[in-house]
Amino acid sequence: MMRSTNESKLTGFILLGFSDYPQLQKVLFVVILILYLLTIFGNTTIIVVSLLESKLHTPMYFFLSHLSFLDICFTSSVIPQLLVNLWSPMKNITYSGCMVQLYVSLALGSTECVLLAVMSYDRYIAVCRPLHYTVLMHPHLCMALASLAWLSGVVTTLVQSTLTLQLPFCGHRQVDHFICEVPVLIKLACVDTTFNEAELFVASIIFLIVPVSIILVSYGYIAQAVLRIKSASGRKKAFGTCSSHLMVVIIFYGAIIFMYLQPAKSRSKNQGKFVSLFYTVVTPMLNPLIYTLRNKEVKWALKKVLGKIL
């Protein structure tokens, strides 16, 4: 068993990805490449505009810049390898490459879960405590909250990824997915994985259910505050400050919860692949689009920056 376990480390893995759909792979390559370029462009634009425009030097856009940077790093840890596998008949990934992808993507995904909860708290303060907003959301607190999000992602990947990579794979090299993820590697193991599945479920509760609960509570208070506003224009303005974030939360958490809050061995392989493809490729591309189209401040700042450049 030791020799066959070490074989995976020496030869790496085969990411089967969408091999069951050979006629679809070239189409997926073109679509995913376009979405990846749009993701890089859109999120980079958000970061640059937030840095250059002084009116966007607020906690909301501070956290939004972190979210955009996260999306750039997350997609870049997954999509290049996916594109190579879609284009090439060889689907190999080295053991070290799989390990890096596992650690980095899990860290960034977990960080985004916490960061979205932090952003909902920021929106709660902005709507429910507007007169105290600048006092409560001071730069030191914003930096501490952002650091907490990043640190939590690092801690969870050090625990989950390390436990997963310690499992013996007994020479099993074919990963029926396009990415090295904890659930698919657990499924590949040749020993009892009850402990790993339980640990994954607990981590999912911490990084999915707890942030979602914070978001729901925050938006519950926000809804109450908005309904107390008498003027229609005031309600529209208050809702407009939160609608973009709420849309991002629904899209992101909807896909993640559907994927992770199931036992690893109960998922159908095609279901897991396409849900993962959605939150890996589509969601990061939608974030800057949603914030740009539904936010007058971002659109105004973008026009101003482009006007200076042109």
Side-chain angles (χ1 to χ4, degrees):
M1 179 180 291
M2 181 64 68
R3 187 174 64 183
S4 58
T5 300
N6 289 337
E7 184 181 337
S8 297
K9 295 184 179 181
L10 294 174
T11 59
F13 298 97
I14 300 173
L15 294 176
L16 296 180
F18 299 95
S19 300
D20 293 340
Y21 308 94
Q23 72 282 1
L24 189 62
Q25 291 191 83
K26 294 297 184 286
V27 176
L28 281 175
F29 176 88
V30 174
V31 173
I32 292 172
L33 177 61
I34 293 172
L35 293 178
Y36 177 54
L37 295 176
L38 289 174
T39 298
I40 299 297
F41 176 76
N43 284 289
T44 302
T45 300
I46 292 289
I47 295 172
V48 172
V49 170
S50 298
L51 289 174
L52 295 181
E53 180 50 52
S54 59
K55 288 189 176 182
L56 299 185
H57 292 173
T58 64
M60 175 181 174
Y61 296 104
F62 171 78
F63 294 126
L64 180 57
S65 296
H66 278 263
L67 180 64
S68 294
F69 181 69
L70 264 174
D71 285 337
I72 291 173
C73 295
F74 179 73
T75 53
S76 297
S77 70
V78 175
I79 293 182
Q81 181 66 48
L82 172 58
L83 292 173
V84 170
N85 289 349
L86 286 172
W87 188 261
S88 171
M90 303 298 293
K91 313 295 182 184
N92 295 333
I93 183 172
T94 63
Y95 182 84
S96 58
C98 182
M99 183 173 64
V100 169
Q101 189 179 78
L102 179 67
Y103 274 99
V104 173
S105 62
L106 180 58
L108 296 172
S110 303
T111 299
E112 185 160 349
C113 290
V114 179
L115 185 61
L116 288 173
V118 169
M119 293 175 73
S120 71
Y121 174 74
D122 170 68
R123 292 300 83 206
Y124 159 74
I125 298 296
V127 175
C128 300
R129 304 285 297 276
L131 298 179
H132 303 90
Y133 180 68
T134 54
V135 176
L136 293 174
M137 297 302 295
H138 54 83
H140 293 297
L141 177 62
C142 293
M143 185 61 69
L145 291 173
S147 300
L148 175 65
W150 285 97
L151 182 61
S152 63
V154 172
V155 170
T156 189
T157 196
L158 288 176
V159 174
Q160 284 195 71
S161 299
T162 302
L163 287 175
T164 302
L165 291 174
Q166 286 178 346
L167 290 171
F169 300 117
C170 302
H172 298 161
R173 299 179 55 225
Q174 292 190 347
V175 179
D176 197 6
H177 213 292
F178 63 86
I179 178 178
C180 290
E181 278 191 321
V182 171
V184 293
L185 290 178
I186 288 177
K187 197 172 181 180
L188 199 66
C190 58
V191 294
D192 180 47
T193 58
T194 303
F195 174 78
N196 295 80
E197 291 188 38
E199 186 275 332
L200 175 62
F201 188 80
V202 171
S204 300
I205 295 293
I206 295 173
F207 283 92
L208 296 178
I209 301 302
V210 172
V212 166
S213 300
I214 295 172
I215 291 169
L216 290 176
V217 171
S218 298
Y219 275 100
Y221 282 111
I222 289 171
Q224 291 180 355
V226 170
L227 292 175
R228 285 197 296 265
I229 299 175
K230 295 181 179 180
S231 66
S233 60
R235 286 195 298 270
K236 184 178 179 180
K237 182 179 179 181
F239 179 74
T241 62
C242 305
S243 59
S244 299
H245 176 256
L246 189 58
M247 287 183 65
V248 170
V249 165
I250 292 172
I251 294 172
F252 178 79
Y253 278 108
I256 295 291
I257 289 176
F258 183 79
M259 178 66 185
Y260 278 93
L261 290 188
Q262 302 179 64
K265 295 181 180 178
S266 70
R267 304 182 186 93
S268 70
K269 60 179 183 178
N270 292 331
Q271 180 191 73
K273 289 178 187 178
F274 284 102
V275 173
S276 294
L277 187 66
F278 181 82
Y279 75 74
T280 302
V281 179
V282 180
T283 303
M285 184 274 298
L286 289 177
N287 289 351
L289 195 63
I290 292 171
Y291 277 103
T292 302
L293 294 179
R294 298 186 60 85
N295 194 306
K296 292 182 179 179
E297 290 180 327
V298 175
K299 287 192 286 188
W300 176 84
L302 184 58
K303 289 179 181 178
K304 184 178 178 182
V305 171
L306 289 175
K308 289 180 179 179
I309 294 173
L310 299 176

